[in-house]
Amino acid sequence: MEFQAVVMAAGGGSRMMDLTSSIPKALLPVGNRPLIWYPLNLLEQVGFEEVIVVTTKEVQKMLNLETKLKLDIVCIADDADMGTADALRHIHQKIKTDVLVLSCDLITDVALHEVVDLFRAHDATLAMLMKKACESTELVPGQKGKKKLVEQRDFIGVDGMGKRLLFMANEADLDEEIIIKRSILQKHSRMHIRTGLMDAHLYCLKKYVVDFLVENRSFSSIRSELIPYLVRKQFSSPAPLQQGQSNREQDEKKKDQKSLDIYSFMKDDNLFDLDTDNFGWNNHRGDMNEAFHGEKVRCYVHIMKEGLCYRVNTLGQYIEANRQVPKMLPLLCPEEPLVHSTAQIMDKYLVGSDSIVGASTQCGEKTAIKHSVIGSGCMIKDKVKITNCIIMNSVRIEDGCILQNCVVCQNAVIEKGADIKDCLIGNSQHLEPKSKHVNEIIMGTEQLMEI
C-alpha cells in the first residue's frame, strides 16, 4: 500500500451556520448527495479500498452512504477544538505509509494522478492541489446591499515550470513588502508570484511529516501552519553533526533536535550516503539534483487549469456547487438519472434538463422547475415556479408559489401564493399564504450566519 487516504470531516462549518445548525457540514446535500460523498467517490474512482474518516459522533450516527470503500471512522469529541494537524496527530498510530489528506468539503473532477505523480516523481515532502479561484456572479440570498467581506490574499511563489512551491504567505502575515530569502533566489532565479489561487485542501504528505507532528504539538492547522513551515524549510539546512561523533552520540543529538525541525524525522536514505561524484552526469541535472545535493524537503503544487474544483465552505460556494454539480453527476454516476425514478412529476417537460429531483418528491400540475436542485420527500403542489433554487429534503410548497434564487432548508413549509426572491429560508420555517419576501434570511433567532 503506497498511500493511505484520510478525509477530514469534523469541521463545524462556522462560515455557514444557518445551514449547518441543523445538518452537519459533511452531510449538507449537494446535488442530493452528502458533501462527504464527493471526496470519497474521488478516492474510490482511483482505486482506494479503505479510507480513514475523522469526524464527530453526530456525523457517524447520520452517515448512510452507498460505497464500496471500507470506512475506518475515527470520532473526536464534539467540543474538541481540533485543527486538521491536530486530527492527523490524533490518528497517527493508524498511519503506516505516506498519506493523502482531503477535506470533506472538496468537490473536484481533478485527475488525482496529476498530484500523486508530482509527489512520486520528485520524491516530494508535500504535493498539493490549487486552482484559480472563481467568484460567483450570482447574488447570494439575503446579502444584497450588504458589504462583502474581503478575504486576505495568499501570495504563492512557484518556479518557471509552475510546479515547485517556493514561497507561500498570507497577506495578514506580511508587512508592506514581500521578502524572498536569498537561498531561494540562488537556486531559482526566476519566481512567479501568484494571487487568486484557491487551496483545494488536498495534500500528499510523507509519513515522516506525520511523525513530526506527533512530537511538535504547536502545529494545529495543516493549511495555515504546517504547509508554510514546510515551504520555508526547503532552503534551509539541518544542523550539522560534528565529525568524529559515534553513532550513539549522533542518535542522541537527533533526539534532541526532534522538537526543533523536520530533518530529524527523515529516514536516513542511502541515496545521501553514496559517493555521488562517482555517479553519471544525470544526478547533477534537473530537480533530482537537489535530492543528491542536500535539499531533502521539497514542496510541489499542481495548479488546475480547467475542470471543476470547489471548496464548499461558504453559502456562496454551496450555491455555486449545487449549480455546477448537475453537469458533473452524469459522468460520476451515469446509471442514475438526475430525476429520481421514484419522483412523481405530473408535467415532466416543465422540469429543466439541468435540474435534479430527489426520491419520492411529488410535483403537481403545471409546476415548472428550472436550474434547481429539489431534495427527497418534497411535496410541491400545482402551478409552482421554481428557478435557480436549492430545495432540501421534506419541504412543502403549496399552490401558486414563486421562488427565485432561494435556498430552502429541510422541513420548511411555504403556504399558498407566496412570492419569494433572493431569500434563505431556515430549517422548519413556516411562511404565510401570499407573503412576499425579497433579499431576506428567514430563520430562528438562535441561528446566526457568517458569509
Side-chain angles (χ1 to χ4, degrees), residues 127-404:
M128 62 188 293
L129 174 65
M130 286 187 172
K131 189 177 190 297
K132 184 177 180 180
C134 296
E135 292 206 14
S136 173
T137 57
E138 300 285 346
L139 178 67
V140 175
Q143 295 304 299
K144 185 177 180 181
K146 295 185 180 180
K147 186 177 181 180
K148 187 175 181 180
L149 294 176
V150 178
E151 294 193 7
Q152 292 176 312
R153 297 172 296 173
D154 286 320
F155 291 86
I156 307 297
V158 293
D159 66 359
M161 299 294 291
K163 298 292 187 183
R164 183 75 186 263
L165 184 56
L166 303 174
F167 178 83
M168 189 175 194
N170 186 268
E171 193 172 1
D173 301 323
L174 299 172
D175 294 324
E176 294 182 352
E177 57 187 13
I178 296 176
I179 299 175
I180 308 296
K181 292 194 301 184
R182 182 180 298 175
S183 58
I184 299 176
L185 296 176
Q186 285 174 339
K187 296 188 177 181
H188 298 273
S189 57
R190 297 187 64 184
M191 181 193 302
H192 300 276
I193 300 290
R194 299 189 58 173
T195 59
L197 292 175
M198 179 200 73
D199 179 0
H201 285 218
L202 185 155
Y203 313 114
C204 291
L205 294 166
K206 286 288 193 185
K207 165 67 166 60
Y208 60 71
V209 176
V210 180
D211 299 335
F212 168 73
L213 284 175
V214 173
E215 298 294 331
N216 290 265
R217 295 183 172 270
S218 60
F219 293 90
S220 182
S221 166
I222 293 176
R223 170 64 181 85
S224 60
E225 296 172 351
L226 176 63
I227 291 177
Y229 170 84
L230 294 176
V231 172
R232 289 194 304 270
K233 276 291 178 180
Q234 291 180 102
F235 303 99
S236 62
S237 301
L241 298 175
Q242 296 178 3
Q243 291 185 353
Q245 286 183 322
S246 66
N247 289 338
R248 176 180 290 183
E249 289 173 325
Q250 291 184 3
D251 290 342
E252 289 298 322
K253 187 159 187 177
K254 284 186 178 182
K255 288 179 183 178
D256 292 339
Q257 290 175 350
K258 278 197 172 185
S259 62
L260 300 178
D261 63 38
I262 195 166
Y263 292 105
S264 304
F265 296 84
M266 296 180 174
K267 291 182 179 179
D268 289 328
D269 195 328
N270 290 336
L271 179 66
F272 299 97
D273 297 329
L274 295 171
D275 181 7
T276 56
D277 290 333
N278 291 330
F279 275 75
W281 60 272
N282 57 341
N283 71 328
H284 295 269
R285 298 190 180 190
D287 200 45
M288 288 310 291
N289 173 53
E290 296 163 354
F292 278 94
H293 300 285
E295 283 192 24
K296 292 188 179 183
V297 179
R298 293 182 293 280
C299 301
Y300 286 82
V301 59
H302 173 63
I303 301 173
M304 285 182 70
K305 292 182 173 60
E306 56 186 22
L308 295 179
C309 188
Y310 292 97
R311 289 280 321 287
V312 184
N313 58 357
T314 66
L315 177 58
Q317 288 296 321
Y318 177 74
I319 292 169
E320 186 63 24
N322 271 284
R323 286 182 180 145
Q324 297 297 331
V325 154
K327 304 172 188 176
M328 185 176 173
L329 280 177
L331 300 175
L332 297 178
C333 308
E335 71 284 356
E336 295 185 22
L338 294 181
V339 176
H340 197 276
S341 59
T342 62
Q344 299 177 30
I345 301 172
M346 297 298 291
D347 297 313
K348 293 186 178 181
Y349 70 94
L350 293 177
V351 177
S353 61
D354 59 352
S355 292
I356 298 175
V357 182
S360 302
T361 284
Q362 300 179 39
C363 298
E365 293 182 352
K366 298 182 181 180
T367 284
I369 299 171
K370 297 179 180 179
H371 316 301
S372 298
V373 177
I374 312 296
S376 300
C378 294
M379 174 65 72
I380 303 173
K381 296 294 186 67
D382 299 341
K383 298 180 180 179
V384 173
K385 294 182 180 180
I386 299 174
T387 307
N388 286 332
C389 290
I390 301 166
I391 312 294
M392 295 191 190
N393 296 342
S394 304
V395 170
R396 192 173 89 236
I397 303 174
E398 295 292 343
D399 296 332
C401 291
I402 299 174
L403 287 82
Q404 295 176 264

